């Protein structure tokens, strides 16, 4: 069903409401990431459920806000913004997070296939969000690149955290250690992977604090980007005005060429 056009004052009001919902959702996600920092500092899992539930609520609100904004933008004639698909990615992210809460238990082995598969599925939402809003030269929407960078940063931190856990566990199990007999002596050598894993295991608190802090910075960037909807609307207006001026110039040039061609043809007939 084709969407009806919308006048700009009404669109501005609707966009303001949608981006307000999106900003609230992003703020809740930001608070959830702060819970992760607190747990890293205090070395406790007591806020895990609160962090996961608040993140899911934030993603749903954020997604609803962006989908609403995307629908309004489409009615304004801006079909390639990526805002609506980014909202859908957040809803998908929330759904995967809900399911994983029941699938991945506290005693799930981080090295198990189940854990790694669900971590991979978790990354689908952030990946779609990133590529939906990522700034491109030939893309109409170049206004929410900061949000894409922020969520991309949070996703990278999640990948690094999983990699750190795997390296630490591998080192603790003795992988990367080799022993060779040299007569009366035994030569012990360590791989670089073991050295890194051992360091992570010994400094795990520091690693989690750093990664959770950088991830929080990413959510802060995304939240700030959602609060910039007024600038976004103004930029869209300027962009539309530039397009109208170009169209007018093209019409004038085309009309001028047509008149010159007609004058030339008349001159030849005379």
């Amino acid at each position: 069903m084709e969407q009806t056009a919308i006048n700009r004052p009404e669109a501005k009001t609707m966009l303001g409401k949608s981006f307000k919902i999106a900003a609230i959702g992003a703020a809740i996600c930001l608070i959830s990431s702060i819970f992760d920092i607190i747990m890293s500092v205090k070395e406790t899992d007591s806020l895990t459920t609160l962090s996961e539930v608040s993140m899911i609520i934030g993603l749903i609100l954020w997604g609803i806000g962006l989908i609403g904004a995307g629908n309004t933008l489409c009615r304004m004639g801006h079909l390639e913004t990526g805002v609506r698909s980014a909202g859908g990615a957040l809803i998908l992210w929330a759904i995967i997070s809900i399911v994983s809460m029941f699938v991945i238990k506290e005693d799930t082995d981080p090295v198990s296939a189940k854990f790694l598969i669900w971590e991979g599925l978790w990354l689908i939402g952030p990946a779609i969000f990133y590529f939906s809003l990522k700034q491109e030269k030939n893309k109409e929407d170049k206004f929410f690149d900061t949000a894409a960078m922020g969520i991309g940063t949070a996703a990278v931190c999640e990948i690094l955290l999983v990699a750190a856990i795997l390296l630490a566990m591998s080192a603790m199990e003795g992988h990367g250690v080799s022993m060779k007999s040299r007569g009366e002596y035994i030569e012990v050598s360590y791989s670089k992977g073991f050295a890194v894993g051992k360091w992570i295991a010994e400094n795990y608190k520091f690693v989690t604090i750093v990664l959770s802090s950088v991830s929080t910075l990413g959510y802060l960037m995304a939240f700030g980007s959602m609060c910039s909807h007024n600038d976004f609307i103004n930029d869209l207006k300027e962009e539309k005005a530039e397009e109208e001026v170009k169209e007018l110039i093209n019409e004038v040039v085309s009309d001028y060429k047509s008149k010159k061609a007609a004058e030339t043809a008349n001159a030849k007939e005379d």
Side-chain angles (χ1 to χ4, degrees), residues 2-259:
E2 188 174 336
Q3 291 181 315
T4 57
I6 186 172
N7 61 62
R8 290 196 171 267
E10 183 184 356
K12 185 171 183 178
T13 300
M14 294 177 66
L15 282 173
K17 291 180 179 178
S18 295
F19 279 116
K20 184 176 181 179
I21 295 172
I24 292 172
I28 295 174
C29 291
L30 175 61
I31 293 171
S32 172
S33 66
I34 292 174
F35 289 150
D36 292 335
I37 297 177
I38 295 172
M39 287 190 289
S40 297
V41 172
K42 293 189 174 183
E43 296 182 282
T44 178
D45 296 328
S46 59
L47 298 176
T48 299
T49 301
L50 181 60
S51 174
E52 291 177 345
V53 172
S54 58
M55 177 63 73
I56 290 169
I57 293 172
L59 290 174
I60 292 173
L61 286 176
W62 194 353
I64 291 173
L66 288 188
I67 290 173
N71 288 334
T72 302
L73 290 170
C74 287
R75 292 175 65 186
M76 292 171 66
H78 300 279
L79 304 178
E80 302 296 329
T81 61
V83 172
R84 186 163 52 178
S85 57
L90 293 173
I91 299 295
L92 175 62
W93 183 354
I95 293 172
I96 293 174
S97 298
I98 292 170
V99 177
S100 66
M101 281 181 65
F102 298 98
V103 174
I104 301 178
K105 307 295 182 180
E106 290 183 3
D107 58 347
T108 302
D109 186 355
V111 187
S112 66
K114 181 171 72 172
F115 179 86
L116 296 177
I117 288 172
W118 278 100
E119 278 296 318
L121 291 173
W122 180 91
L123 290 170
I124 294 175
I128 296 175
F129 182 94
Y130 176 81
F131 287 107
S132 294
L133 296 183
K134 186 177 183 297
Q135 181 173 328
E136 297 175 7
K137 290 182 180 179
N138 61 343
K139 196 170 184 180
E140 180 184 335
D141 176 19
K142 300 179 181 179
F143 311 103
F144 292 115
D145 193 48
T146 303
M149 291 172 60
I151 294 302
T153 299
V156 169
C157 287
E158 179 70 16
I159 294 172
L160 291 176
L161 179 60
V162 173
I165 292 172
L166 295 178
L167 281 171
M169 291 186 66
S170 176
M172 291 169 65
E173 292 173 359
H175 298 297
V177 180
S178 61
M179 293 182 288
K180 294 180 181 179
S181 177
R182 300 290 186 184
E184 298 179 357
Y185 303 97
I186 297 177
E187 183 181 287
V188 182
S189 59
Y190 306 97
S191 67
K192 292 182 179 179
F194 174 83
V196 173
K198 183 173 179 292
W199 184 87
I200 292 173
E202 293 173 347
N203 300 275
Y204 187 71
K205 179 178 179 179
F206 171 77
V207 172
T208 54
I209 290 174
V210 170
L211 290 178
S212 57
S213 298
V214 175
S215 180
T216 298
L217 178 61
Y219 284 109
L220 180 60
M221 292 168 61
F223 168 68
S225 183
M226 291 300 104
C227 293
S228 66
H229 69 273
N230 286 326
D231 293 335
F232 171 63
I233 294 171
N234 291 332
D235 287 338
L236 282 180
K237 288 181 178 179
E238 291 176 5
E239 182 181 89
K240 190 69 175 179
E242 289 176 1
E243 290 177 357
E244 291 174 352
V245 170
K246 288 178 182 178
E247 289 176 2
L248 180 61
I249 292 173
N250 290 334
E251 289 178 4
V252 172
V253 171
S254 178
D255 185 54
Y256 174 76
K257 288 182 178 179
S258 298
K259 288 181 179 180

